[in-house]
Amino acid sequence: MAETQSLPKLRVPGPAPYSGSTAQPLRHSALVRATHWITTLSCIALLVSGIEIVISHPRFYWGENGNVLTPVLFKLPIPSSRSLVPTGYGFVLADQNGWSRYLHFQSAWLAVLTGLVYVTAGFVSGHFRKSLLPRAEDLSWQALGRTIASHLRFEPPGAADLWSYNLLQRITYLVVIFVLFPLAIWTGLAMSPAFTSAFPASVTLLGGRQSARTIHFFVAVSLLLFLLVHVGMVWFVGFASRMRAMITGRIEKPMVDA
Amino acid sequence: MTDLSRRKLIKGGVAAATGLAGLGVAADLAKNYGLIPPDHAGIWGVGETLNYASYRLLTNHSMAREFTRSEISEKPLANEMPPLSDEFKKLQARGFADWRLTVDGMVDRPQTFSLEELKSHPSRSQITQLACEEGWSYVSEWTGVPLSHVLEVAGIQPQAKYVVYFSIDPDWWDSIDMSDALHPQTYLAYGMNGGDLPVGNGGPLRMRVPRQLGYKSVKFINRLAVTDDLRNFGKGLGSASPEGGYAWFAGV
């Protein structure tokens, strides 16, 4: 695309610090890459198993209690795997909750433990401060407006975006890491009668078990939306280069050492 | 090989060895402290073991949330269930006067109780939530005799580790560890919201384990077996649930 060449080069930060003299600089550290892909794997497992579980009761409520005898907040227009649930469909899907629940919790453990490693390392190494916290000069409504406008115009990214995240990316990643994931974990635990016996405030603060379940659903929908937009953006800006950066850590194709 | 990569290699090797040794020690400790669930084998064993072990470490003495009378659900949902057997219908026709609960296994005084006998023991009530793994829930008042009391009457032997409980429906049986069996909120429930426990909700006698999901509160209980080894029951997975693909531990 010719336009790409004529875009003004605003700011090209230097290569990330690295050790070793002959190697190319790394775009993503080994820890970020490993935790990224483990999280990807567990999130896909959580989504698939979560959808299977919700099929057994595609109705949502607010407050402490809800069942087929009580009014709904809303229901999903899908068939169910339980004959007791009135769906309007003339058939009942097969029950998949056994393995789905096993898989959901096993993936949740993997995601939470990986998340702990990532967040601890992110604070210790300064990854959050350097790479995710918006730069001081970007913290203005004008800067935010400019980024949103350039995204809405589907402008191809500048060279700076190859080496660092733009403002919108930083805000989105921070929300996903520090709002959506913690909320998903909290609302998930608030549905466990064993957990709430030890920590009753975890569910009462949310307004009850059914409220926790409903929030859990919306957090999951938000994470799914993030996943779709994230993958869409990677596709748009250059699937091969971004995948290479997240798999090998390098921006360029590997050079053959003489 | 440069100094840097050699140092890295040594560091990695030490870390891996420490990790493996740590895992071995952890597995040993977990076994000794009863943190391994009966369905720990297979591909879901890791998650199931982490769930159950956390429960055992975090919640030994915790109490399930209790509610006020005003929070009792208007209609306690009777979940779908398989058709009742002729044997059950015969007992129902006689008002469950011939219903018997047998207690056997590792007890000093194996015995059977009629419902009347169970009701003559100290009765307790709790207003707790029944939450189904599917997602729905209701709150009701459950009345019954604490399982710990029945076990005391029968005299559990010191080596006992689990209580296995059976429904009159041969497809349903389950088990809990001693910590849950002796928990003050674990009841053999025969009453609900001031009346007899309706058949749809598991009457005449239902196990009530409020710190776990509904499927652990098995309906139509007619036998308890105290044991130190779950491998002697069914396929050895601790309950009918894992045989049907569901986790033995239902606290989450």
Side-chain angles (χ1 to χ4, degrees):
Chain A
M1 292 208 292
E3 289 87 358
T4 317
Q5 303 303 321
S6 61
L7 275 177
K9 300 278 188 292
L10 287 175
R11 185 177 46 229
V12 184
Y18 64 98
S19 50
S21 49
T22 51
Q24 289 175 27
L26 291 178
R27 170 66 185 97
H28 300 295
S29 70
L31 185 121
V32 165
R33 283 178 280 139
T35 52
H36 173 271
W37 290 115
I38 297 173
T39 307
T40 309
L41 190 76
S42 37
C43 279
I44 290 169
L46 282 162
L47 276 168
V48 170
S49 54
I51 290 167
E52 283 295 353
I53 294 166
V54 104
I55 285 172
S56 71
H57 199 82
R59 298 158 58 94
F60 289 87
Y61 317 89
W62 197 254
E64 194 61 72
N65 292 302
N67 54 61
V68 292
L69 301 177
T70 67
V72 292
L73 190 66
F74 64 94
K75 45 187 169 181
L76 305 179
I78 55 170
S80 172
S81 57
R82 296 294 186 278
S83 60
L84 204 65
V85 180
T87 58
Y89 294 85
F91 57 92
V92 175
L93 296 171
D95 172 26
Q96 309 286 348
N97 275 22
W99 65 264
S100 297
R101 287 169 42 76
Y102 269 131
L103 176 60
H104 205 70
F105 304 133
Q106 188 147 300
S107 332
W109 275 105
L110 186 62
V112 167
L113 295 176
T114 306
L116 279 178
V117 170
Y118 170 77
V119 168
T120 310
F123 279 116
V124 171
S125 70
H127 173 63
F128 293 143
R129 188 169 38 79
K130 283 182 281 191
S131 307
L132 289 185
L133 208 64
R135 298 186 200 90
E137 69 264 30
D138 282 349
L139 272 180
S140 70
W141 292 112
Q142 288 99 313
L144 187 63
R146 261 202 311 277
T147 328
I148 294 177
S150 83
H151 276 80
L152 287 178
R153 285 197 295 268
F154 284 90
E155 283 173 12
D161 290 327
L162 207 57
W163 281 104
S164 83
Y165 298 129
N166 65 50
L167 181 61
L168 218 51
Q169 274 179 297
R170 288 171 186 243
I171 294 171
T172 309
Y173 292 157
L174 286 177
V175 167
V176 167
I177 296 162
F178 292 105
V179 179
L180 292 181
F181 272 115
L183 252 182
I185 297 164
W186 176 10
T187 52
L189 286 170
M191 282 187 274
S192 153
F195 185 83
T196 59
S197 74
F199 306 101
S202 65
V203 61
T204 50
L205 279 175
L206 296 170
R209 178 189 171 77
Q210 294 302 331
S211 304
R213 180 171 178 261
T214 299
I215 300 170
H216 195 75
F217 173 74
F218 283 114
V219 171
V221 169
S222 308
L223 283 170
L224 175 60
L225 272 177
F226 164 75
L227 179 69
L228 295 177
V229 172
H230 181 61
V231 172
M233 293 300 282
V234 165
W235 192 266
F236 173 68
V237 300
F239 190 74
S241 79
R242 292 321 196 258
M243 285 298 272
R244 190 186 306 120
M246 197 42 99
I247 294 170
T248 66
R250 303 187 193 286
I251 298 272
E252 308 293 336
K253 279 183 187 151
M255 292 184 291
V256 182
D257 272 333
Chain B
M1 192 185 256
T2 63
D3 266 1
L4 188 79
S5 61
R6 186 174 299 122
R7 203 181 315 146
K8 264 189 175 168
L9 200 71
I10 294 170
K11 262 190 183 169
V14 169
T18 315
L20 280 178
L23 274 180
V25 172
D28 249 25
L29 275 175
K31 209 171 178 185
N32 288 343
Y33 283 92
L35 303 178
I36 306 284
D39 55 342
H40 64 271
I43 50 170
W44 309 125
V46 176
E48 170 75 348
T49 303
L50 286 169
N51 284 349
Y52 176 62
S54 321
Y55 171 67
R56 263 300 135 261
L57 294 172
L58 273 176
T59 67
N60 258 349
H61 302 291
S62 69
M63 299 290 276
R65 292 188 300 144
E66 299 213 11
F67 297 82
T68 62
R69 283 232 148 67
S70 63
E71 291 170 293
I72 292 176
S73 303
E74 277 173 43
K75 297 174 215 158
L77 176 73
N79 199 11
E80 55 193 326
M81 56 183 183
L84 298 161
S85 64
D86 288 342
E87 183 194 4
F88 186 93
K89 284 179 188 155
K90 248 181 248 169
L91 289 159
Q92 188 179 15
R94 299 206 357 98
F96 299 116
D98 306 318
W99 190 276
R100 292 293 179 272
L101 172 75
T102 307
V103 184
D104 57 36
M106 291 182 163
V107 289
D108 292 333
R109 297 172 289 278
Q111 55 194 288
T112 55
F113 299 86
S114 68
L115 287 175
E116 282 316 304
E117 281 166 334
L118 281 178
K119 287 176 185 174
S120 72
H121 287 282
S123 99
R124 296 274 182 280
S125 285
Q126 54 171 288
I127 302 173
T128 50
Q129 185 171 49
L130 187 138
C132 180
E133 51 87 20
E134 296 159 15
W136 52 268
S137 62
Y138 65 82
V139 164
S140 62
E141 182 174 35
W142 307 84
T143 302
V145 53
L147 178 62
S148 61
H149 177 83
V150 174
L151 294 175
E152 197 183 296
V153 170
I156 36 174
Q157 294 168 359
Q159 71 273 34
K161 280 190 184 150
Y162 300 94
V163 175
V164 189
Y165 43 103
F166 299 85
S167 170
I168 195 169
D169 180 343
D171 290 339
W172 281 105
W173 60 278
D174 214 311
S175 66
I176 44 180
D177 61 21
M178 260 326 152
S179 182
D180 266 336
L182 301 178
H183 188 270
Q185 287 172 316
T186 303
Y187 290 3
L188 282 159
Y190 46 70
M192 178 187 241
N193 296 335
D196 283 343
L197 183 61
V199 167
N201 298 93
L205 196 63
R206 176 179 201 171
M207 188 61 81
R208 187 71 188 108
V209 190
R211 292 192 302 176
Q212 299 202 36
L213 294 170
Y215 70 82
K216 211 70 183 172
S217 293
V218 172
K219 296 168 170 175
F220 321 127
I221 298 296
N222 66 358
R223 183 187 162 209
L224 307 177
V226 180
T227 184
D228 66 346
D229 194 349
L230 291 172
R231 282 174 297 186
N232 301 331
F233 298 88
K235 292 182 186 165
L237 299 173
S239 81
S241 301
E243 294 177 12
Y246 279 77
W248 173 76
F249 172 61
V252 65

